[in-house]
Structure formats: structure tokens, C-alpha cells
Amino acid sequence: MPPALTREAQDAAEAHALGDEYVAALGKIINSHVRNEATGAAVFDEPSISLAPTPREKWLACRMAMEEYGHHLKFNKLANELGLEDAGDRPPLSVFDYQVGSWAGYVMTKAIVDLAEVVLMEDLCECSYLPLRRLCRSLMPEERFHVRFGTTSAKRLAADPDAREEVRSSAHRLIAMTLPFFGRSESRNNEVFRRWGIKRLTNDEARAEFVRRTRALLCDDLGLDYPEVPTRWPGTTN
Ligand SMILES: [Fe+2]
Ligand SMILES: [Fe+2]
């Protein structure tokens, strides 16, 4: 598959000069982040503030909610600069159906769902559209902090006999729910993203990286088993 783009687009005008297919492909990526950052903040981070057991953990939860809403606003600014249609025309991803019912459940969303976001963003840190590349690079420290918060808190909770089973069951459920986040194994969209240098990884390569890192977390760091999950996803809803 020869790349269609051998140079980079410095700004929205240069992206439009490359044609509708390039702008539409960027739009799909940027708008999915616009939706997912806001939905994650609303369904995971906001409820966690009242679930947090101590003032310090409430402060951390507030900080992460603020940062996720900030990510939404920054992706939205990029969407506006590119003149994209409203991002709300598609439903949020199914992983956001996960109900955060406890502090341990929230901690695992940061260790697992934010890790999926890190895998996707690492790829976009080399994106041919420089405003998106710059934004993702600038957000990586916060996303990595969210994952680190999740994994260090998970280690502490997994060592507590009263919380260990909840850590395990939340992790297993979230890993299964996050696999479709990477898209279909056979994806025309992903082919277009790679042809234009927007992404480098296939959906299955990104999914495999997520499985590798979550397996290390569960099996090596937490001493838990890993769920039986498919490494490919044929796709049902997106
Ligand atoms: Fe985020
Ligand atoms: Fe995050």
C-alpha cells in the first residue's frame, strides 16, 4: 500500500489542499476523540469524585475529570479549525456503558481504558497532520499520569483481600469491553488512515499492543489471571 502522503500538512489550509479524503479521515479521528474525551469524563471521572474515599483521592479525581474535559475542548478546537461537522452525530463507544460503581471500579478504568487511549495517541504522535500530532504529544504526559494513577492504585487495592476480587472482575470486564475500541480487524477506514500517514498501526496491531500491556499489568504486576479474549474483532456496531 503506497502512502498517498509523503509530506506533512502544517495546518487546516494545507489539509484541505490535499483533498476531501484526507480531511474526512482526519475528521473521523478528531471527532471520535471529541466524543470519547467528553463521554469518559462524564461517565467515569465525574462520578468518581463522590466515590473517592479520601480528600487526596477526591482531589486526584477532580484533577483527572478537569483534564479529560480539557482534552475534549482541545480536540474540539482542532475540529473547528478544520471546519468539521458536529462530532455528536455518532453514539459513544460501548466501553462507556461500563458502570463505575466503586472507587476500585474507577481506578481500573484509568488503568485499562486510559491505557487504550495511550496506545492510540502514541500512534497519532507521528501523524501527518501536524496540529493533531502536536496536540497528542502535548496530552501524553496527562494521559500517562492517568494510567500511572490507575496502575499504582490497582496494585495497592489488589493487595487488599477485601478489594482484590473487585479489581479482578472490573479488569476482566473492562478489557473485554475495550477491545472494540480499536476498530474492526478488516477496516477500510484504517487503510485510509495509514495510506495518508495519519496512523501507522493496523487496528489489530494496536489491539495486540493493548493486550500485551494489560496482560503485563494483570499477570506480572497484580498477580491476576488474564481473561479469555479474542485478539481480532470482526465488528458489529462501528
Ligand atoms: Fe483524555
Ligand atoms: Fe485520560
Side-chain angles (χ1 to χ4, degrees), residues 37 68 71 143:
E37 294 284 1
E68 302 297 18
H71 298 175
E143 290 298 2

Side-chain angles (χ1 to χ4, degrees), residues 38-182:
T39 307
V43 304
F44 295 160
D45 300 284
E46 264 194 67
S48 80
I49 299 167
S50 58
L51 294 168
T54 67
R56 178 176 158 74
E57 285 159 322
K58 284 185 187 295
W59 171 74
L60 281 169
C62 288
R63 173 180 162 179
M64 288 185 282
M66 182 189 76
E67 289 173 350
E68 302 297 18
Y69 278 120
H71 298 175
H72 162 77
L73 293 173
K74 287 174 179 171
F75 279 109
N76 208 31
K77 183 162 177 278
L78 222 57
N80 290 337
E81 283 168 6
L82 209 48
L84 299 177
E85 300 282 305
D86 184 5
D89 63 346
R90 295 193 63 189
L93 296 172
S94 54
V95 65
F96 297 117
D97 293 339
Y98 174 83
Q99 301 278 325
V100 174
S102 68
W103 180 244
Y106 172 65
V107 160
M108 297 320 290
T109 68
K110 298 321 263 184
I112 289 168
V113 183
D114 285 55
L115 179 61
E117 180 70 0
V118 163
V119 169
L120 290 185
M121 270 200 195
E122 282 175 351
D123 200 13
L124 292 173
C125 282
E126 303 303 325
C127 176
S128 57
Y129 184 49
L130 294 194
L132 181 55
R133 181 195 294 188
R134 276 196 297 272
L135 176 58
C136 289
R137 288 183 180 184
S138 76
L139 299 184
M140 286 309 292
E142 288 181 355
E143 290 298 2
R144 289 206 170 103
F145 166 73
H146 300 168
V147 174
R148 206 160 54 244
F149 157 82
T151 54
T152 53
S153 302
K155 281 183 206 169
R156 205 165 45 245
L157 288 165
D160 175 355
D162 291 337
R164 186 170 177 82
E165 180 47 36
E166 194 176 359
V167 169
R168 178 185 175 276
S169 62
S170 302
H172 281 208
R173 208 160 54 248
L174 279 165
I175 287 167
M177 291 176 86
T178 306
L179 291 173
F181 189 81
F182 297 94

Side-chain angles (χ1 to χ4, degrees), residues 23-36:
V23 173
L26 287 173
K28 283 176 184 163
I29 305 252
I30 293 170
N31 275 341
S32 80
H33 283 271
V34 170
R35 285 191 299 274
N36 296 340

Side-chain angles (χ1 to χ4, degrees), residues 11 18 22 32 41 65 68 104-105 120 129 145 160 195 203 210 232:
D11 54 27
L18 290 167
Y22 186 59
S32 80
E68 302 297 18
L120 290 185
Y129 184 49
F145 166 73
D160 175 355
R195 185 155 45 79
N203 291 343
F210 168 77
R232 287 174 59 78

Side-chain angles (χ1 to χ4, degrees), residues 1-7 18 21 194-197:
M1 187 178 59
L5 187 62
T6 52
R7 64 185 178 86
L18 290 167
E21 187 182 56
R194 284 182 294 126
R195 185 155 45 79
W196 282 105

